């Protein structure tokens, strides 16, 4: 049984076709998904059960750093500029795997939505 935040295992076809998206719409999808990831990661970090291990600190810093870098990029007006937004947050995709329990599973679900936003935009 999966919780509400666990993404489905089968791919869905409800994503917009990349050719139908403007660079600005692609940016909006990526930024919204990244904001959700940031909120969930910060909630995990602020939790009293947070363990300040090197691995946890690395994942936290990588995630926050990538999303902060995304926030510094201007709104895109070309396909190449939209791709640079996706490149800024790709390190976040690498850091989170579905095997982690509890709050980390909720983060993974949000990261999966970010991955789907990136896939929809490329």
């Amino acid at each position: 049984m999966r919780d509400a935040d666990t993404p489905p295992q089968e791919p869905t076809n409800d994503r917009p076709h990349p050719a139908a998206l403007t660079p600005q719409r692609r940016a909006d999808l990526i930024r919204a998904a990244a904001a959700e990831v940031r909120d969930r990661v910060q909630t995990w970090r602020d939790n009293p059960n947070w363990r300040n291990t090197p691995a946890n600190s690395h994942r936290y810093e990588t995630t926050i750093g990538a999303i902060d870098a995304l926030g510094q990029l201007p709104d895109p007006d070309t396909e190449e500029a939209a791709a640079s937004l996706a490149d800024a947050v790709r390190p976040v995709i690498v850091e989170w795997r579905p095997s982690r329990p509890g709050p980390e599973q909720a983060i993974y679900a949000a990261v999966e939505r970010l991955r789907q936003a990136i896939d929809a935009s490329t």
Side-chain angles (χ1 to χ4, degrees):
M1 177 178 214
R2 64 184 187 87
D3 65 10
D5 285 327
T6 303
Q9 298 304 309
E10 293 84 33
T12 61
N13 291 327
D14 59 352
R15 292 183 300 200
H17 188 276
L21 297 174
T22 65
Q24 184 59 54
R25 179 66 182 132
R26 292 172 192 224
D28 293 345
L29 288 170
I30 292 169
R31 289 182 196 277
E36 178 189 6
V37 171
R38 183 186 181 95
D39 288 347
R40 289 187 183 229
V41 168
Q42 193 61 54
T43 298
W44 171 62
R45 173 62 180 88
D46 294 342
N47 186 302
N49 294 325
W50 161 263
R51 292 182 44 215
N52 193 24
T53 65
N56 285 349
S57 293
H58 171 76
R59 289 189 299 156
Y60 173 80
E61 291 168 10
T62 298
T63 301
I64 297 302
I67 295 171
D68 284 350
L70 173 68
Q72 299 300 314
L73 295 174
D75 286 334
D77 55 0
T78 66
E79 298 300 322
E80 293 78 22
S84 70
L85 297 177
D87 291 342
V89 293
R90 282 193 204 283
V92 175
I93 306 298
V94 174
E95 289 300 322
W96 297 97
R97 297 288 174 240
S99 61
R100 305 243 187 233
E104 294 176 64
Q105 181 63 30
I107 295 168
Y108 169 74
V111 169
E112 181 62 14
R113 287 187 283 277
L114 175 60
R115 186 193 62 74
Q116 290 173 355
I118 289 170
D119 287 349
S121 71
T122 56

